[in-house]
Amino acid sequence: MNSMPCSGSVPERRAGAPSLGVEEEFFLIDPGSRAVASRAGRVVARAREAVGDLVSGEFDECQVEVKTPPCRGGADLYDELVMVRGAAASAAQAEGLGICASGTPVIGPEGPAIIGDHPRYRAGLDQFGTLLDGFAICAAHIHVHMPDREEAVLVGNHLRPWLPLFVAMSANSPFLHARDMGYASWRTVIRGRFPALGAPPYVESLDHYERLAAALQESEAMLDAGVPFWDVRPNPRYPTVEVRVMDVQAEAADTVGLAVLIRALVLTAGALVRRGHTGPETCSELVRAAYWRAARDGWAGKGVDALTGRVLPCSVQAARLVEFVRPALEEHGDLDRAMGFLRRLAGRGCGAQRQRASWRHRAHVADVVDDLVQLTSGRRRG
């Protein structure tokens, strides 16, 4: 059966919550110009003295990435995230810089982009050329422990219709190089340029998934079939299902709120897969339209429900998500943390709304950067 059962389906009970992990990408900021600064090598070297490989470089030398170890609970995940963010912020400060959580650079670099020294990045430049111009974008990736790769790819079928809602909830990239692009998540638009990014395809099995990835690699639309960049995937290195659709969040608490919602959705979907439900065959064009609408309007607008095609307020879709995954949230003690995140969205909006509010204060784009740097490091402007 390929249809999604009614909301509130109880996931199979397991011994303990599956572990969670987070990766977040940040821009390095020059505090004078507020432009992004290409000095990741020095910052990463300093941070590794404190936290080892939990801080690393990224695609562009103006970016750093932080990682948490696997965590069982939301509280532990929050503590680890605050710790590793702090290590990155301290290392940046020692180099005269700040770190900034925005999906796109609010104020662009003062010089040309410097691509990170990694074979995959160089191969991407060779294959995709100028499509990678301006590809310095920052995401949050959520990992949920799942050693069964067959189950992981079928879980992706169940997650596909919900991915646009996570775009809307996490939207935090309205500005690019000091210009309001008119979208809540311009990062999502940038990623949409590429032929094999975005929502994963509906697949019938792991074999189907791997054959499709191999065909895309052969076509050169995908760089490496073993490392696809779809927004849900079995991670190629770790026994996890990885969700990659979100803009990076300014506050660690919001990242954790997204993480516990995603874990509950993965658990609910996994239980359905084990009962023979391979997931809804949602129309790819409808999912694509839902992505676009979520990227444009963010949490403040209405979104396309990719399951039904109806246009509904994001708050209504989020309430449906909570009801669908409530048993998993309650079982693992995550309901209050998830609801707290949704209350914050209702009260002050998503990141894009907050960035625009910072700009409206004095119509200075530098204020947007200052507020983001303070939020990212846990300090607020008084």
Side-chain angles (χ1 to χ4, degrees), residues 5-349:
C6 64
S7 64
S9 300
V10 180
E12 295 172 6
R13 193 168 272 280
R14 294 180 173 183
S19 59
L20 277 170
V22 167
E23 298 168 317
E24 293 185 308
E25 299 157 355
F26 303 118
F27 290 112
L28 296 171
I29 300 296
D30 181 289
S33 67
R34 277 74 162 199
V36 297
S38 297
R39 303 222 294 273
R42 295 175 65 89
V43 172
V44 169
R46 281 187 179 272
R48 284 186 168 176
E49 294 175 4
V51 294
D53 62 2
L54 295 182
V55 177
S56 62
E58 245 299 319
F59 175 75
D60 194 292
E61 279 291 303
C62 68
Q63 298 172 280
V64 296
E65 181 181 75
V66 305
K67 312 171 187 69
T68 70
C71 301
R72 288 289 182 184
D76 291 340
L77 182 64
Y78 176 79
D79 289 345
E80 292 287 350
L81 201 51
V82 168
M83 181 276 295
V84 74
R85 280 182 173 218
S90 295
Q93 186 175 29
E95 293 293 329
L97 304 172
I99 63 169
C100 174
S102 176
T104 47
V106 178
I107 300 178
E110 296 180 337
I114 302 173
I115 305 305
D117 186 17
H118 191 289
R120 187 172 70 248
Y121 304 153
R122 302 297 174 185
L125 282 173
D126 290 341
Q127 188 153 317
F128 296 110
T130 54
L131 274 185
L132 282 166
D133 288 356
F135 196 66
I137 54 177
C138 290
H141 298 168
I142 310 298
H143 293 256
V144 181
H145 181 70
M146 181 171 289
D148 187 327
R149 288 176 58 81
E150 182 87 35
E151 183 175 322
V153 298
L154 296 178
V155 160
N157 292 340
H158 288 276
L159 268 58
R160 287 175 76 239
W162 296 105
L163 294 175
L165 177 60
F166 285 104
V167 171
M169 290 193 292
S170 70
N172 187 36
S173 50
F175 291 96
L176 179 70
H177 300 178
R179 176 188 174 190
D180 189 328
M181 304 302 289
Y183 280 70
S185 177
W186 191 246
R187 169 187 162 270
T188 299
V189 176
I190 290 172
R191 295 180 80 250
R193 302 170 182 171
F194 290 84
L197 290 182
Y202 176 87
V203 294
E204 298 171 356
S205 64
L206 177 60
D207 178 67
H208 182 193
Y209 177 92
E210 291 177 340
R211 284 188 286 107
L212 181 55
L216 287 168
Q217 177 181 324
E218 179 68 19
S219 76
E220 298 190 5
M222 180 179 287
L223 187 62
D224 182 348
V227 189
F229 287 101
W230 288 314
D231 286 336
V232 182
R233 69 180 186 184
N235 184 270
R237 294 176 56 200
Y238 305 113
T240 66
V241 60
E242 181 184 4
V243 180
R244 306 160 48 84
V245 72
M246 292 81 62
D247 286 358
V248 68
Q249 300 297 285
E251 294 189 83
D254 292 343
T255 302
V256 177
L258 286 163
V260 297
L261 278 168
I262 285 170
R263 177 168 66 181
L265 183 55
V266 168
L267 283 168
T268 304
L272 294 172
V273 168
R274 292 189 295 277
R275 294 171 189 164
H277 301 282
T278 56
E281 295 186 54
T282 313
C283 171
S284 295
E285 284 301 301
L286 196 56
V287 174
R288 184 180 177 190
Y291 261 67
W292 173 81
R293 181 73 181 254
R296 189 190 70 178
D297 297 346
W299 177 258
K302 295 181 178 180
V304 179
D305 179 347
L307 284 169
T308 66
R310 296 179 60 197
V311 177
L312 299 169
C314 290
S315 58
V316 172
Q317 293 187 60
R320 289 183 170 187
L321 172 64
V322 169
E323 287 310 301
F324 182 58
V325 303
R326 180 181 290 271
L329 289 170
E330 290 178 339
E331 180 176 5
H332 299 302
D334 290 331
L335 181 61
D336 287 347
R337 196 172 296 273
M339 296 306 297
F341 170 58
L342 294 178
R343 284 192 295 271
R344 290 193 296 277
L345 284 175
R348 45 77 167 154

